[in-house]
Amino acid sequence: MKSTKPPSDPAACCAVLDTVARWTRRKDARPGEILDAALDLFVARGFAATKVEDIARAAGVTAGTIYRYFANKEEILKAVIRESFAPALLEGEALLANFEGSAAELLTQVIRTWWQLNGATRLSGIPKLMIAESNNFPELARFHREEVIARGEALIGRALQYGIDRGEFRPQPVELAVKVVTAPVVMAMVWKHTDVCGNDGIDLDRYLDIVIETLIHGLGVRPGTNS
């Protein structure tokens, strides 16, 4: 009968413990590795064309391993959306809660933070993905709107209202102004993942500078008037 007694050699014991520790770390990291692989494939191929088996292969695991963490492909995309955008949303909410500077500075920081954490990263592919897949997967589109769009627009709305309340921005329908502010930023994210929208060689950082300058100028109170 094979003995199950642990090895008495200290070096062997250390090797066993190291193996167990590495396996545990690997297990803990698997959900993140799966989501990273899924994000790349969803953006490159589209949601419908990506299979769970494709994600498993890219993540270096089996499909069975994926199902230990996620019920289906829809839940994988929801997790990508929820966990990936959370840091930017939380940072934006913290910024608004404690900000005391000018409205122009606040709006600039909100937009720049969003771009730094999302637009300048792999997450920039999500808007294009959701635009392409929303009609075929309305539940996922609704989830994306509730988890990301609604919260992001609420941040922009609070920044605009901050400026209106301080008399730095002209009074206007905030819910419409939010769309004007977010549209060029979202479009820049889409441009990063397509070659057919007239974006050849565009400097997105400089583009964002001009967007912010134009928005602040357009929102600002005109000299000599109250609007």
Side-chain angles (χ1 to χ4, degrees):
M1 181 176 178
K2 188 176 180 179
S3 173
T4 58
K5 182 180 179 180
S8 57
D9 180 6
C13 289
C14 288
V16 170
L17 292 173
D18 183 60
T19 299
V20 171
R22 282 188 285 108
W23 186 89
T24 301
R25 288 196 298 271
R26 168 70 174 161
K27 182 179 179 181
D28 292 341
R30 277 175 184 157
E33 293 171 352
I34 291 168
L35 296 183
D36 284 344
L39 172 60
D40 289 339
L41 289 173
F42 289 152
V43 171
R45 301 182 182 180
F47 180 76
T50 300
K51 299 178 180 179
V52 170
E53 290 77 11
D54 300 327
I55 299 171
R57 190 178 306 111
V61 300
T62 66
T65 297
I66 288 183
Y67 287 121
R68 293 178 187 173
Y69 301 100
F70 306 101
N72 49 47
K73 189 172 66 170
E74 287 77 8
E75 291 303 315
I76 296 175
L77 180 54
K78 287 183 178 180
V80 168
I81 291 170
R82 183 190 303 109
E83 297 184 19
S84 298
F85 286 102
L89 292 167
L90 291 173
E91 187 163 335
E93 289 165 357
L95 171 65
L96 282 159
N98 301 296
F99 194 81
E100 296 180 352
S102 72
E105 291 170 339
L106 176 59
L107 185 61
T108 298
Q109 287 195 38
V110 169
I111 294 175
R112 282 294 183 188
T113 298
W114 183 262
W115 185 259
Q116 179 184 359
L117 296 180
N118 297 324
T121 72
R122 295 156 58 239
L123 296 177
S124 59
I126 294 292
K128 178 189 174 185
L129 173 67
M130 299 313 302
I131 291 170
E133 303 283 9
S134 59
N135 286 339
N136 293 326
F137 301 95
E139 167 59 22
L140 290 175
R142 181 199 61 76
F143 180 85
H144 177 253
R145 168 148 195 86
E146 292 178 354
E147 291 287 327
V148 179
I149 297 177
R151 290 179 66 186
E153 289 185 345
L155 292 176
I156 296 293
R158 287 171 60 188
L160 294 176
Q161 191 62 55
Y162 176 87
I164 293 171
D165 292 343
R166 287 167 58 94
E168 297 177 46
F169 291 163
R170 292 180 291 109
Q172 56 195 290
V174 171
E175 66 277 9
L176 294 179
V178 165
K179 305 294 184 184
V180 175
V181 172
T182 57
V185 181
V186 172
M187 194 65 212
M189 295 171 75
V190 173
W191 279 342
K192 289 186 63 177
H193 298 273
T194 182
D195 297 321
V196 295
C197 292
N199 62 322
D200 296 342
I202 189 170
D203 183 339
L204 290 178
D205 285 329
R206 180 57 183 147
Y207 164 83
L208 206 61
D209 287 339
I210 295 173
V211 166
I212 293 171
E213 291 172 8
T214 302
L215 289 170
I216 291 173
H217 178 76
L219 290 164
V221 174
R222 297 185 182 92
T225 71
N226 293 322
S227 61

